[in-house]
Amino acid sequence: MARHVGLRWLGVGLLLAGLHPALALDWRLTRSQTLTQAGAREWRYTLTPAGKEAQALWQRLSEQYREHLRAGYRVDLGAWRLYFLGGKLRLEPHCQAVNPACFSFGALTVPKDRQDRFLLELSALLDQAMVQARLTGGVVVLSRLFRLELPPGGRPPFPATPSGWRP
């Protein structure tokens, strides 16, 4: 009985938060490390969309983000902001309390609430990767957008390079 009541409250909590469990799996964060005879290399944190729908959505959105960056605009990714300064790509902290207003939205044919959930999940996982990489040093890659190397304890703004495209 207690378990049944607990599951019901979990379901109510998810509904109130506006999260649908089936839609909360748009992104995958992979942590890997290369081992050589010389020893372990730095950690690599890679963010990629999971599933065909998420991949298609990210393909369209990342193309728009690339165009924004090429035109000299910034791209807001929730807790982080990506921009060019002096011909160099940079990533810096953006919103401390991430909400839908903290994102650069794309002109896509998906409902706004769907795009909100997609970007909120991206921001949470990107922030997780950045926190972990800053502790030990490592490489963070957001597929189709940027790659950056973080030294242990590095301070923003972080220099980045385009990943999968040319400026």
Side-chain angles (χ1 to χ4, degrees):
M1 175 68 177
R3 180 180 169 168
H4 177 70
V5 171
L7 290 174
R8 183 171 7 144
W9 281 111
L10 175 63
V12 170
L14 289 172
L15 287 173
L16 290 176
L19 299 173
H20 187 279
L23 297 177
L25 302 172
D26 288 324
W27 289 94
R28 180 180 307 121
L29 174 58
T30 306
R31 179 181 180 205
S32 60
Q33 187 177 39
T34 302
L35 298 173
T36 66
Q37 288 181 345
R41 308 269 320 226
E42 74 252 343
W43 285 101
R44 179 181 177 101
Y45 302 88
T46 306
L47 280 143
T48 55
K52 290 186 183 250
E53 179 193 1
Q55 290 170 358
L57 182 56
W58 181 238
Q59 181 175 349
R60 293 189 316 257
L61 191 57
S62 64
E63 287 170 2
Q64 290 181 23
Y65 284 171
R66 293 173 186 181
E67 291 305 315
H68 286 339
L69 291 166
R70 284 184 183 114
Y73 298 106
R74 67 179 188 259
V75 171
D76 295 335
L77 300 168
W80 297 93
R81 172 177 282 162
L82 188 65
Y83 60 94
F84 275 104
L85 180 64
K88 303 284 185 185
L89 195 58
R90 304 264 187 251
L91 185 74
E92 69 180 14
H94 177 45
C95 278
Q96 289 183 344
V98 177
N99 63 71
C102 297
F103 296 97
S104 297
F105 284 94
L108 303 176
T109 58
V110 297
K112 183 182 179 314
D113 64 327
R114 174 67 180 110
Q115 197 173 156
D116 287 348
R117 284 190 305 271
F118 184 78
L119 292 172
L120 286 167
E121 186 178 346
L122 166 62
S123 177
L125 289 177
L126 177 57
D127 197 47
Q128 179 182 342
M130 294 295 292
V131 166
Q132 291 177 4
R134 286 174 75 182
L135 291 175
T136 61
V139 175
V140 176
V141 177
L142 175 54
S143 71
R144 302 180 51 84
L145 203 55
F146 70 84
R147 176 187 191 279
L148 60 90
E149 294 183 33
L150 290 170
R155 305 202 27 94
F158 300 109
T161 55
S163 177
W165 64 287
R166 293 180 189 213

